[in-house]
Amino acid sequence: MNKVKDNLDLNVQEIKDKKVILKSYPQRMIVTLSTKCNSRCIMCEVVKTQWDIPDRVVDEIKFLLPYMKSINWQGGEVLVLDYFEKLFLESLNNKQLKQTIVTNGMLLNDRWIDLLTESNVELTVSIDGLDKEIYEKIRCGSKFDVLMKNLKKLNEIRKKKNSKLVLKMHTVVMRSNYKEVENFIEFAKRYDFDVVYMMPIYGGQDIPENIYINDEKNILKDLTKKIEQAVYKSTEYGINFFHSLPIIKEEKPKDSDECTETAENICIEKKDRMLCFLPWQQLNIDPGGEVRPGCLCKTNIGSVMDSSILDIWNNSKMQEYRCKILLGNPDICSVDCIKGNVPENMRGI
């Protein structure tokens, strides 16, 4: 019995049938295991909540792993957790499962490098500065020299083993680093990253680094040009580059055949395609135990502190998400998704 294929086939059919109560299980999960961290990033709100996932919820996740395509383990910093190595190794028993580990890279010791390069895993390293001064200003407590040493060692072992490990870089674009956007692609090439993903500061934090909340048009125009250069360089280097930055887009002529970006016309009827599939496919467990369909979704649908994962999967709020997307009225969704700032591949399928 192929549990993951059967679950995927059932899920696809339920989407086609526009079901809002599902018999299929989630295909993907993004799980915050803890907010414990060895760094204090200036734009991070996660560590403001003290959180460790209950053992009961970990057991529920383990039950679902044989049915799932992927899981993303994140914190805080997961490599500070005593139990994480055992959890990672247990999860490897599910051969179909693609695991992603999000880390700041400070604790990539010989043991972890050996384990990761033996596995079919995606390692996501969060890097927001390309020199010691900027990096350590943003990622307080992390050391740029340690990061460089660990990346070099990791890539030496990757090449020696011809490892299947996929190396991804996450970059939060802010005032201190937006002028270096295209140079992050050069850095990615130098250190053999396969994927680069750039994101804004989320949550509307009113902090000096946040260039997205006060309509700073000149900065956004400059950032737009730099993103275009980054796209060009990443294509040239064979690096998979994507972002969810609210850059300035060219206005379409009124008689254009393209869909508009308003909530009233989200192209569902025109393209016969839903805005988002995440409420049918994915769950995010956030710090504190709150659950959302995706990491950019603005509405919580429940808490693992009060309910089981599978109860949340089909509860009334999740049904509401599905119904509103099916009806083409996704006022429950993030405006960034509605406007198209979020790439389609981050919205399911």
Side-chain angles (χ1 to χ4, degrees):
M1 180 179 178
N2 189 330
K3 292 182 179 180
V4 68
K5 183 180 184 303
D6 292 344
N7 187 58
L8 175 60
D9 290 345
L10 177 58
N11 182 250
V12 169
Q13 189 60 51
E14 288 178 326
I15 292 173
K16 287 180 179 178
D17 293 341
K18 300 182 178 180
K19 300 287 188 181
V20 295
I21 299 177
L22 307 184
K23 294 182 179 179
S24 59
Y25 295 149
Q27 294 184 36
R28 299 181 296 272
M29 293 186 72
I30 298 177
V31 180
T32 301
L33 291 171
S34 173
T35 57
K36 291 186 176 75
C37 194
N38 54 348
S39 183
R40 289 293 181 270
C41 301
I42 59 177
M43 69 294 184
C44 180
E45 292 193 303
V46 170
V47 294
K48 294 179 181 179
T49 301
Q50 291 188 342
W51 159 254
D52 288 288
I53 196 167
D55 292 341
R56 167 187 63 81
V57 181
V58 174
D59 289 340
E60 291 176 20
I61 293 169
K62 288 179 182 178
F63 167 79
L64 290 169
L65 291 181
Y67 300 91
M68 291 167 52
K69 292 165 56 178
S70 66
I71 190 159
N72 182 310
W73 306 112
Q74 62 183 29
E77 171 57 55
V78 295
L79 299 190
V80 305
L81 304 175
D82 293 337
Y83 67 86
F84 181 65
E85 180 181 325
K86 181 180 178 182
L87 177 60
F88 171 69
L89 292 173
E90 286 182 14
S91 300
L92 288 177
N93 293 326
N94 301 282
K95 301 301 182 184
Q96 88 294 341
L97 184 72
K98 183 63 176 281
Q99 296 190 70
T100 294
I101 296 174
V102 181
T103 178
N104 57 34
M106 292 297 101
L107 299 177
L108 287 175
N109 56 25
D110 290 347
R111 168 65 174 168
W112 269 112
I113 288 174
D114 185 56
L115 287 176
L116 294 168
T117 52
E118 289 290 334
S119 309
N120 180 22
V121 63
E122 178 181 87
L123 182 68
T124 297
V125 185
S126 299
I127 303 174
D128 311 302
L130 302 179
D131 61 46
K132 183 178 178 66
E133 180 181 358
I134 298 299
Y135 178 84
E136 294 183 4
K137 170 191 171 185
I138 294 172
R139 298 197 153 261
C140 304
S142 292
K143 300 297 181 183
F144 189 72
D145 293 342
V146 173
L147 175 68
M148 295 298 98
K149 181 192 73 173
N150 291 348
L151 287 178
K152 289 175 182 176
K153 181 67 176 291
L154 174 67
N155 280 319
E156 286 173 5
I157 303 301
R158 281 176 82 196
K159 291 174 182 176
K160 183 178 179 180
K161 292 183 178 180
N162 194 24
S163 173
K164 294 181 180 179
L165 179 143
V166 174
L167 189 58
K168 182 177 181 181
M169 180 164 66
H170 268 191
T171 299
V172 179
V173 177
M174 62 190 83
R175 196 176 304 278
S176 288
N177 64 14
Y178 81 90
K179 293 182 179 180
E180 298 292 325
V181 157
E182 65 267 38
N183 292 332
F184 278 93
I185 306 300
E186 298 286 355
F187 180 94
K189 180 178 184 295
R190 190 178 317 128
Y191 289 97
D192 293 323
F193 282 88
D194 304 292
V195 185
V196 175
Y197 170 53
M198 295 184 178
M199 68 202 81
I201 294 175
Y202 288 118
Q205 297 180 66
D206 190 6
I207 57 177
E209 288 291 338
N210 197 339
I211 58 177
Y212 308 100
I213 60 172
N214 293 317
D215 197 25
E216 300 188 47
K217 287 188 171 62
N218 289 336
I219 288 180
L220 293 181
K221 284 180 181 178
D222 192 17
L223 177 59
T224 298
K225 293 177 182 178
K226 293 181 181 300
I227 288 293
E228 291 172 355
Q229 294 167 349
V231 169
Y232 176 81
K233 282 187 177 181
S234 62
T235 301
E236 180 183 359
Y237 296 154
I239 295 171
N240 184 8
F241 171 65
F242 62 109
H243 70 90
S244 55
L245 299 168
I247 59 175
I248 296 172
K249 299 180 180 180
E250 291 185 15
E251 292 187 9
K252 301 289 184 182
K254 290 185 178 180
D255 59 351
S256 169
D257 191 45
E258 295 295 321
C259 296
T260 64
E261 295 177 347
T262 63
E264 290 76 20
N265 176 12
I266 60 167
C267 309
I268 290 178
E269 293 183 2
K270 191 165 190 177
K271 292 185 177 180
D272 193 29
R273 180 179 173 83
M274 292 189 294
L275 171 70
C276 179
F277 294 90
L278 292 183
W280 285 263
Q281 298 180 326
Q282 181 171 299
L283 288 178
N284 281 45
I285 300 178
D286 292 335
E290 293 178 338
V291 180
R292 295 175 293 156
C295 59
L296 303 182
C297 297
K298 68 179 184 179
T299 304
N300 295 322
I301 55 172
S303 171
V304 294
M305 303 305 292
D306 304 322
S307 306
S308 72
I309 291 173
L310 289 181
D311 283 344
I312 294 169
W313 182 235
N314 278 313
N315 70 11
S316 59
K317 288 187 176 179
M318 185 61 108
Q319 291 178 49
E320 181 185 11
Y321 249 108
R322 293 166 184 155
C323 283
K324 290 201 168 188
I325 290 174
L326 287 172
L327 294 171
N329 182 29
D331 57 356
I332 202 168
C333 295
S334 165
V335 68
D336 285 323
C337 295
I338 293 170
K339 286 185 174 182
N341 293 331
V342 180
E344 283 193 14
N345 64 356
M346 290 183 64
R347 291 185 259 136
I349 293 293

